[in-house]
Amino acid sequence: MRIPEIIDRQRRGLELTAEAIRDLVIGYVRGEVPDYQVAAWLMAVCLRGMTPRETADLTRAMVDSGETADLGSIPGRKVDKHSTGGVGDKTTLVLAPLVAACGVPVAKMSGRGLGHTGGTLDKLQSIPGVTVSLSRDRFLAQVREIGLAVAGQTADLVPADGLLYALRDVTATVDSVPLIASSIMSKKIAGGADAIVLDVKVGSGAFMRSYEEALELARAMVRIGEEVGRPTVAVLTNMDEPLGRAVGNALEVAEAVETLSGHGPADLVELCLSLAGEMLSLVGAAGDAAEGAAAASTALRTGKALAKLEAMVRAQGGDPRDLRRPGGLPAAPVVAEVPAPEEGHVAGIDAREIGLVAMGLGAGRARKGETVDPAVGLVLRKKVGDAAKAGEPLGLVHARSAPAAEAAVRRVAAAYRVVRERVRPRPLLLARVSSRGVQNL
Ligand code: URA
């Protein structure tokens, strides 16, 4: 089919064949289809949507645009996890070692932070000496040896996604469920895991602000997974306030280590155990998610999961002793308190604004390729539902300079909503979506 006909069918809401979608995607990657035609097609997708079959075919075409990771040399069923992105989301640093400590190999490719959300690679690289650029052979050998590796995605994996995402970014076509779902799932499928667990964030700090939008995205991704034979479960989780207390690269590593030492914040522990349960159950290492969560809890309590993180840090060039000794991780020169303006209870913390403040301090990047400051960020002493006395610190700002700290303190104070009456925090786990349907949690 000629490209203008493909665009025309999409614009009129008529279904495209798998072949037509493939011609467009592969033609684009080969440089045979120009930006302006793909941009017109993306806008038609945004306005008209895609059927589940078309979305799965788009995902397959994107996967086939490049190499796929072959994890066949690693014994056992492999499981991957993806988060749609949030603030303070250091889940992978806790979850990957937890699952590996339960005997299921984790070969994880992660991304960098962009905008107000952080990325696992930046967090890992805040540990002195740690590399996230592993050759394919080294990556596979590490997973075979210690059961765990977290590294950057190689450029030859899903090249269509890089190109399409860049075009979406400048044509106001990012915001489309089939385009987001195929973008995320193509990378997970090309990453080679047998099963996939998705953490779909909902709320002010997330891509999907409303529950309905997040549910639609979760359903679309679970359907793609089923269509391509990779069992997939999505959990919808609250991102109205940051996850845990730390926001910023080294600060989040420190919190992940505390969590693996048994002293983590309740919401982060709850999320990691729940996702670990899903992952272990999906590959048959546990009878169900509850049994998997119990196994993960044991791995946490016994220190086995912390030992896995330490083994990974060593294998990737760092010194695990840096994780726990004072001065082992980068520290910011200025630490300033954010005082509570009055006595009351925390009713809300604008997660997006907290992410933007951390970014402004240097913890994140506004454009791809910018460098990040590993040391700076925030630690929230008070979370939604906590009581605070006037003047008590709501949080701490870790900054490079006093003026940067002062500006951040003002913004963090404004991101908190403190009220007189008691507040019940919103539950963290909202719903679970699988091939069997939606279950409210
Ligand atoms: N994350 C992705 O990987 N792709 C999107 O399109 C949106 C979020």
Side-chain angles (χ1 to χ4, degrees):
M1 198 182 289
R2 290 170 57 249
I3 302 298
E5 270 176 65
I6 296 177
I7 302 169
D8 182 55
R9 280 189 74 82
Q10 192 82 57
R11 185 178 62 86
R12 290 189 290 137
L14 302 174
E15 241 192 346
L16 293 181
T17 61
E19 198 189 354
I21 294 172
R22 183 168 292 267
D23 285 350
L24 193 105
V25 171
I26 303 293
Y28 185 44
V29 173
R30 289 193 183 137
E32 293 159 9
V33 179
D35 275 351
Y36 52 82
Q37 285 184 319
V38 179
W41 172 75
L42 287 170
M43 186 55 81
V45 171
C46 271
L47 298 176
R48 285 296 198 162
M50 282 185 130
T51 65
R53 204 226 77 233
E54 285 177 308
T55 311
D57 284 332
L58 171 59
T59 310
R60 283 193 195 94
M62 290 171 72
V63 171
D64 293 345
S65 72
E67 301 285 314
T68 49
D70 181 359
L71 304 183
S73 66
I74 303 165
R77 280 169 67 73
K78 275 71 64 181
V79 57
D80 200 355
K81 163 261 172 189
H82 178 82
S83 156
T84 56
V87 179
D89 186 3
K90 69 284 293 173
T91 308
T92 294
L93 298 178
V94 179
L95 181 61
L98 262 182
V99 171
C102 293
V104 172
V106 179
K108 178 138 186 53
M109 290 180 213
S110 284
R112 298 210 175 266
L114 190 62
H116 72 284
T117 65
T120 302
L121 298 185
D122 296 322
K123 295 170 201 188
L124 268 178
Q125 276 188 314
S126 72
I127 307 168
V130 165
T131 178
V132 292
S133 312
L134 304 182
S135 70
R136 190 159 301 166
D137 286 349
R138 182 171 165 197
F139 180 74
L140 294 175
Q142 184 177 316
V143 181
R144 280 195 301 271
E145 271 160 38
I146 64 167
L148 174 64
V150 179
Q153 186 178 305
T154 51
D156 51 9
L157 225 61
V158 202
D161 183 57
L163 291 171
L164 286 173
Y165 197 91
L167 191 57
R168 286 165 60 203
D169 210 18
V170 292
T171 55
T173 52
V174 169
D175 214 3
S176 146
V177 165
L179 296 179
I180 298 173
S182 55
S183 164
I184 292 173
M185 289 300 285
S186 61
K187 287 174 281 195
K188 295 289 107 185
I189 293 161
D194 301 300
I196 299 158
V197 172
L198 301 162
D199 177 6
V200 181
K201 305 282 188 198
V202 189
S204 78
F207 239 104
M208 297 286 147
R209 304 283 183 95
S210 78
Y211 177 85
E212 289 70 28
E213 285 173 311
L215 187 59
E216 196 190 341
L217 177 63
R219 280 184 154 140
M221 293 194 289
V222 168
R223 253 192 246 122
I224 294 172
E226 296 301 320
E227 286 258 352
V228 302
R230 310 278 173 104
T232 301
V233 167
V235 183
L236 266 63
T237 68
N238 180 23
M239 188 30 79
D240 267 338
E241 65 174 328
L243 182 67
R245 298 186 181 281
V247 183
N249 298 297
L251 293 167
E252 292 191 43
V253 169
E255 185 168 84
V257 171
E258 271 169 39
T259 304
L260 287 169
S261 308
H263 310 295
D267 57 350
L268 179 61
V269 174
E270 182 185 7
L271 181 63
C272 291
L273 293 182
S274 159
L275 294 177
E278 296 289 354
M279 290 169 80
L280 294 172
S281 143
L282 212 48
V283 289
D288 59 20
E291 193 185 308
S297 178
T298 304
L300 189 72
R301 219 180 34 251
T302 55
K304 273 176 79 178
L306 178 59
K308 276 286 173 207
L309 177 69
E310 290 175 343
M312 183 178 91
V313 166
R314 190 178 301 110
Q316 291 184 209
D319 179 347
R321 288 171 301 183
D322 282 338
L323 296 174
R324 285 192 276 176
R325 68 176 158 216
L329 294 173
V334 180
V335 179
E337 288 187 355
V338 182
E342 57 194 341
E343 181 164 348
H345 296 89
V346 178
I349 308 170
D350 183 339
R352 188 182 174 81
E353 175 65 2
I354 293 290
L356 289 171
V357 174
M359 186 178 128
L361 285 165
R365 53 173 76 74
R367 305 203 159 275
K368 277 187 181 168
E370 283 177 359
T371 52
V372 299
D373 184 336
V376 297
L378 311 160
V379 176
L380 308 178
R381 285 267 178 90
K382 302 288 180 187
K383 299 260 314 204
V384 173
D386 287 347
K389 297 201 173 68
E392 208 185 341
L394 295 171
L396 299 173
V397 168
H398 293 241
R400 224 2 96 192
S401 68
E406 272 164 40
V409 164
R410 275 196 299 277
R411 286 180 69 183
V412 173
Y416 269 80
R417 201 157 53 81
V418 178
V419 298
R420 287 243 146 251
E421 56 280 7
R422 278 175 189 274
V423 176
R424 268 246 310 261
R426 192 180 179 194
L428 176 70
L429 306 176
L430 304 173
R432 177 181 186 275
V433 183
S434 71
S435 58
R436 295 209 212 125
V438 181
Q439 183 192 349
N440 288 321
L441 298 174

